[in-house]
Amino acid sequence: MPQPTPDHLPDRIQHFIDGAFVDSVDGATFDVLNPTTNEVYIQAASGQQADIDLAAAAARRAFTEGPWPKLLPRARSRVLHRIADLIEEQDERLAELETWDTGLPITQALGQARRAAENFRFFADLTVAQRDDTYKVPGRQVNYVNRKPKGVAGLITPWNTPFMLESWKLAPALATGNTVVLKPAEFTPLSASLWAGIFRAAGVPDGVFNLVNGLGETAGDALVKHPDVPLISFTGESRTGQVIFANAAPYLKGLSMELGGKSPAVVFADADLEAALDATVFGVFSLNGERCTAGSRVLVERSVYDEFVSAYAERARNVVVGDPSDPATEVGALVHPEHYEKVLGYVEIGKGEARLVAGGERPAGLEDGNYVQPTVFADVKPEARIFQEEIFGPVVAITPFDSDEEALELANGVKYGLAAYIWTNDLRRAHTFAQNVEAGMVWLNSNNVRDLRTPFGGVKASGLGHEGGYRSIDFYTDQQAVHISLTDAHSPRFGTSK
Ligand code: NAD
């Protein structure tokens, strides 16, 4: 079902460099598709080395010569709050564009727009509350930490919830006084083009925010290898993270890597099973299943397994799939035909590996666009590819277990370690399991509700480093140790013995 085209779409998507909208130096563009028809609806400027060079130079100039890094935290905080206000004022427009470009259901896109505003508010507040350490060696020294922005931050983001994930990097990078070059995902460049107007209206000086659209292998690669960009914050696939790691190594860059996931949701028989059902269905089918922290493996204690699987399958069959702009829609269209083929490929693999209990096809009546039925596989063995590999779509693998030990072995038996969700009313079991599960983030009896102060990040193949709260401040700043002697310097007097 095609979506209604939003009013006043731009005629093309450009870069934003040094305070001006510009095309690529060589005029290159790439096609952007609407996921409900897969028709090309716009051309976006395709950044190359020359465009990244211009953006990095502008950002470098704004860092070394401009006022931004030297402003008092309160002054930057005011600008960030204005950015949050402006995002909130246009949240519906933002959601409309995001839904058009990504296929995300409109109600969920609206939630993500508001979350983007909240990210700016949070870091606006945190930057004024920031304090640094001072150490006293009584009578001898006072030593303190002089925290400084690092310079030009390279931000590389994926296509799932693009605007919100961009805000997650932009807000702390800017709050701490850095300047930035953002390279958004090529599947979904539309909402990123709104940043320029928002930043300008909020009073961000020219050159502080620069945006270069383009493919990962060209624009992204040039940013990773740019000598004047000392840090890269990347969110995307684990495989891409490996490539970026290798490419950044000769430059010894600061790297933050938020990568893929195959997170377990573990349901014990003593849990509130209705609440677990609500959360585990939402946890994998919300955001079209295109969610890094999706609970895409549901592990269920055998005594309640059959009952849980049939209730789960029933819910999945009733999930409303359709036009992403319809507020009733729960699962929209997957982002791009390439990704759609990948997800359907896994559905076919799953049919040979496990028992299909819901979905598995294109939904009836949705002949065009990247629609797939919410799909549930049961009795999935741990060696199955659909148990091990990130699918990043509305596809879930359900597996039974007989003991806490087996549940933990299953939960940890994949290369990823992003999130884990544990459902039990046994306090000791909940905490023992939480502490032993190999995941950067754990939710007990809850779906993914974030407290922005807590660390965000994965272990194993799900990432390196943490962002979130003060960890983001740490990533985007250098902590210089300044030592002050309170006594005469007692240096051994070399060269005085003759
Ligand atoms: P991707 O790795 O294909 O692309 C992410 C970004 O990297 C895009 O902007 C792309 O253009 C760029 N890129 C690709 N190759 C590059 C290269 N060689 N050098 C520099 N940049 C390059 O990921 P995707 O398909 O856009 O996003 C989905 C993935 O992101 C999933 O694996 C998902 O789990 C992960 N993700 C992780 C988190 C997290 O916080 N851990 C959050 C959201 C998404």
Side-chain angles (χ1 to χ4, degrees):
M1 187 185 300
Q3 265 174 290
T5 309
D7 293 334
H8 312 299
L9 280 178
D11 63 346
R12 65 193 197 283
I13 295 174
Q14 295 180 287
H15 310 308
F16 185 74
I17 298 176
D18 211 6
F21 284 102
V22 291
D23 294 321
S24 288
V25 170
D26 68 356
T29 61
F30 63 90
D31 294 342
V32 188
L33 314 185
N34 168 257
T36 62
T37 59
N38 289 325
E39 283 169 9
V40 177
Y41 77 92
I42 204 165
Q43 293 290 313
S46 183
Q48 315 290 320
Q49 178 79 53
D51 306 292
I52 290 289
D53 286 348
L54 289 173
R60 181 79 202 143
R61 250 190 330 274
F63 186 76
T64 52
E65 297 166 22
W68 188 253
K70 299 177 200 79
L71 288 179
L72 286 177
R74 172 58 75 200
R76 279 200 301 268
S77 170
R78 281 189 210 286
V79 175
L80 264 64
H81 274 299
R82 280 201 291 275
I83 292 169
D85 293 340
L86 288 159
I87 295 172
E88 280 168 2
E89 280 164 24
Q90 54 192 291
D91 58 356
E92 292 193 357
R93 173 67 173 167
L94 245 164
E96 182 190 26
L97 295 184
E98 197 77 302
T99 290
W100 170 257
D101 202 28
T102 63
L104 281 180
I106 186 85
T107 49
Q108 298 171 36
L110 188 61
Q112 296 298 319
R114 292 177 182 158
R115 175 70 179 281
E118 182 56 27
N119 283 335
F120 272 90
R121 261 191 222 301
F122 175 80
F123 284 106
D125 290 342
L126 196 66
T127 192
V128 286
Q130 170 70 32
R131 49 153 191 75
D132 277 307
D133 295 329
T134 304
Y135 306 89
K136 189 171 71 171
V137 184
R140 296 188 188 175
Q141 278 185 320
V142 174
N143 307 320
Y144 68 92
V145 173
N146 172 36
R147 193 180 284 271
K148 302 192 275 192
K150 285 202 173 158
V152 181
L155 311 178
I156 301 179
T157 49
W159 48 257
N160 65 315
T161 62
F163 192 83
M164 193 286 284
L165 281 175
E166 290 151 16
S167 75
W168 177 241
K169 299 185 189 302
L170 286 166
L174 295 175
T176 44
N178 297 280
T179 60
V180 303
V181 178
L182 168 66
K183 206 301 279 172
E186 55 268 44
F187 285 176
T188 55
L190 182 61
S191 56
S193 62
L194 294 180
W195 285 119
I198 291 170
F199 287 152
R200 203 184 249 165
V204 175
D206 289 351
V208 171
F209 166 75
N210 303 274
L211 165 76
V212 178
N213 289 292
L215 310 187
E217 297 71 18
T218 48
D221 187 62
L223 187 56
V224 168
K225 295 176 182 165
H226 201 290
D228 287 339
V229 177
L231 75 167
I232 297 285
S233 176
F234 168 77
T235 301
E237 286 188 20
S238 301
R239 178 77 203 106
T240 316
Q242 288 174 322
V243 171
I244 290 178
F245 236 83
N247 287 342
Y251 305 90
L252 298 172
K253 296 199 178 200
L255 293 174
S256 171
M257 294 273 155
E258 306 285 5
L259 308 176
K262 190 78 183 177
S263 300
V266 187
V267 181
F268 288 94
D270 67 9
D272 176 341
L273 293 178
E274 193 62 21
L277 183 65
D278 289 345
T280 52
V281 169
F282 178 80
V284 74
F285 297 136
S286 55
L287 304 178
N288 295 344
E290 297 162 326
R291 176 176 199 149
C292 56
T293 50
S296 52
R297 294 181 296 138
V298 180
L299 313 177
V300 184
E301 194 163 359
R302 195 175 302 273
S303 60
V304 294
Y305 180 76
D306 290 341
E307 173 199 350
F308 196 86
V309 168
S310 67
Y312 200 103
E314 170 83 16
R315 286 284 191 94
R317 281 191 286 270
N318 290 329
V319 167
V320 181
V321 184
D323 174 0
S325 66
D326 181 343
T329 293
E330 292 170 324
V331 170
L334 300 189
V335 69
H336 191 275
E338 271 173 32
H339 184 60
Y340 180 70
E341 290 307 322
K342 174 186 155 184
V343 172
L344 277 194
Y346 274 109
V347 170
E348 289 312 310
I349 291 168
K351 287 175 183 172
E353 288 183 328
R355 178 163 62 96
L356 179 70
V357 293
E361 308 287 340
R362 173 184 277 281
L366 294 170
E367 306 314 330
D368 299 315
N370 307 318
Y371 293 103
V372 58
Q373 289 175 333
T375 296
V376 184
F377 289 103
D379 310 345
V380 182
K381 299 271 186 295
E383 58 278 10
R385 286 185 62 191
I386 60 165
F387 188 95
Q388 292 292 333
E389 297 174 22
E390 185 184 46
I391 300 174
F392 218 57
V395 181
V396 67
I398 311 187
T399 304
F401 66 84
D402 289 299
S403 64
D404 291 37
E405 294 70 28
E406 190 190 2
L408 188 65
E409 200 178 310
L410 287 167
N412 290 344
V414 297
K415 70 176 180 179
Y416 295 106
L418 192 54
Y421 308 87
I422 300 160
W423 291 87
T424 174
N425 277 320
D426 179 327
L427 194 63
R428 191 162 62 178
R429 164 186 275 161
H431 289 287
T432 305
F433 203 100
Q435 290 177 24
N436 289 320
V437 73
E438 293 166 355
M441 295 165 287
V442 180
W443 278 269
L444 298 177
N445 298 317
S446 168
N447 80 64
N448 178 339
V449 180
R450 280 265 297 132
D451 173 343
L452 293 180
R453 295 167 299 179
T454 58
F456 184 98
V459 297
K460 304 199 294 190
S462 290
L464 272 159
H466 283 97
E467 297 197 40
Y470 287 117
R471 290 93 188 160
S472 295
I473 305 275
D474 283 347
F475 175 69
Y476 289 105
T477 53
D478 271 327
Q479 297 180 57
Q480 180 189 50
V482 180
H483 303 83
I484 305 155
S485 177
L486 300 178
T487 60
D488 293 341
H490 295 293
S491 305
R493 302 196 67 219
F494 278 28
T496 57
S497 57
K498 277 199 189 157

